[in-house]
Amino acid sequence: MDTNTEREVAKGLKQGDQLAWKRLYQAYAEFLWKNVSRLVGNDSTVVADIVQETFLVVERSAKDFDPHRGSLWVWLWTIARAQVALYYRKQKPTIGLSQARQWWAALDGAKFDWIDVKADIPLDILQSQELATLVRYALRNLPGDYQMLLLVKYVDNQPVSIIAEQIKCSQVAVRSKLARARKAFGKAFEKINRSPSGSREVKL
Amino acid sequence: MSFNDDKKRDKLLSSLLPVVEKDAAKPEEEFLDELQEKSTSEFLASSANDTKKSQIKTTFPVWRIIMKSNITKFAAAAVIIVGVVLVINHLGTQIDSSSVAWGEVIRKLEDIHKYSFRKIRLETTDPQKGYESGTETKVYYSDEYGEWTESFRNGHIHTRTYALLKERVFIGIVPLAKIYDRHSLSDAEIRELEQMMPSQVVMRFLGADYKALGSELIDGVKVEKVEVHDPKILNPNAPPIEDFVARLAVDVETELPVSLELEFVIDGKIYTKMIFDQFQWNIKLDASDFEPDIPDDYTKGEFSDG
């Protein structure tokens, strides 16, 4: 959504305009679904619940959306991220993460070469459910703006110029934020995969 | 952080992150269509009728789509029943206005030694016309290392600052002008930094004559809010300002701050709004986060973040 359209939508939302709501919904509902499912996985019931809860909150706070505080895109994702976090807070700890950590710990030393980008990650590892669990968990622990930047850059493969347009930032600012986001992801991934004491830690 | 490290991370993330797409659930058109219909009706209804909206805000929404799984279906149905009962029992009244133990908020904050948050500053000379775009700053704080900030204005990097406690030094960088400044941190500046720690601010909030505003939802999180009109809660040495109001919102579940909003007028004409939000508590920060990166072609100049 370009800046002018976004301003029009923000103005319409403040006035309770049906068209503004529809434009917001149509521009972002699928986007929300897609990104929520990237964080929670393949259970469409869970994804649908989170998307629904997000729009409930958006509906209630649409009048208060202030374009000066960031773009619609970022605002929506901030709300969705909070809903994802709420969902996980309500869940009992699952065995999935602990199994994934054990799986990672059991991998041989080649993983250090993957992390150091000295060797490519093998396809069977990239396709494993355990790796997806670990990456999702690391992503979930990042601030919303970092999550969104990383997903758009590395999963949607959007160029920095498009991302800058979406979040209303300069390309230099996006690059700077992306570097921070990469570092934060590295730390989050390192934290969940911390090896038992005495052995080498996984550092990104 | 070296450039090479970041290049490596970039390459690694290019192969690592797409794994989340592999088994992601595909969008369900039927569900999204139904949600559009229901949410549009609710949006229109709540926009048209403020009284109705206030009732909805204090109850559970009743339009949730019953989901497919048995568990969710049961939960959704239960929510609808609870919502109806709450509407009947609490029409026009406030629900559960004191579920935060404020002493616990301070205790929890005192146990947090690393955090980050966003700070937005907006100004206008004509509040009728609304606020103009302001400065957005991401702040990272560690008890051990100090504070570093990155500010953006109109989407461009404006300044970076480092207040380094071990070295007792302040470094300010203005990338656009390619200048930086460095000076020693005085005891007063270090004290000021400590005064602005969230636990200290909350303590001054609760020591002031505060008013409970009850609970509401912020970005889907249930919070309780308190309001104060005494500017000294911000900084005991703050310069004179008028029409000061500060609102603090605390997450009912985690008992940690979610946002702090300040409004005040400077010199009778500059209407200012400051928002502190997107708090991340107990984040991982290490020495490398507090290493200023001053490119070789930057020259020493006078730093100003104004």
Side-chain angles (χ1 to χ4, degrees), chain B residues 6 35 74 86 93 149 271 277 281-282 303:
Chain B
D6 190 50
L35 183 60
F74 174 77
L86 286 174
T93 66
T149 73
Y271 292 79
D277 62 4
W281 306 107
N282 278 328
F303 175 82

Side-chain angles (χ1 to χ4, degrees), chain B residues 198-242:
Chain B
S199 60
Q200 299 295 311
V201 174
V202 173
M203 222 181 294
R204 291 199 295 276
F205 232 97
L206 300 179
D209 186 14
Y210 70 87
K211 178 181 158 194
L213 299 178
S215 60
E216 64 177 76
L217 286 178
I218 294 182
D219 295 346
V221 175
K222 188 181 178 191
V223 301
E224 286 213 356
K225 276 187 161 181
V226 286
E227 181 181 278
V228 163
H229 289 266
D230 181 356
K232 286 197 168 52
I233 62 110
L234 184 59
N235 178 346
N237 306 313
I241 45 179
E242 301 140 54

Side-chain angles (χ1 to χ4, degrees), chain A residues 25 52 60 146 154 187, chain B residues 10 32 65 131 140 217 289:
Chain A
Y25 187 92
Q52 180 170 233
R60 283 180 221 144
Y146 286 1
Y154 294 103
K187 285 184 179 179
Chain B
D10 179 48
L32 289 174
I65 299 167
Y131 289 90
Y140 299 83
L217 286 178
D289 292 301

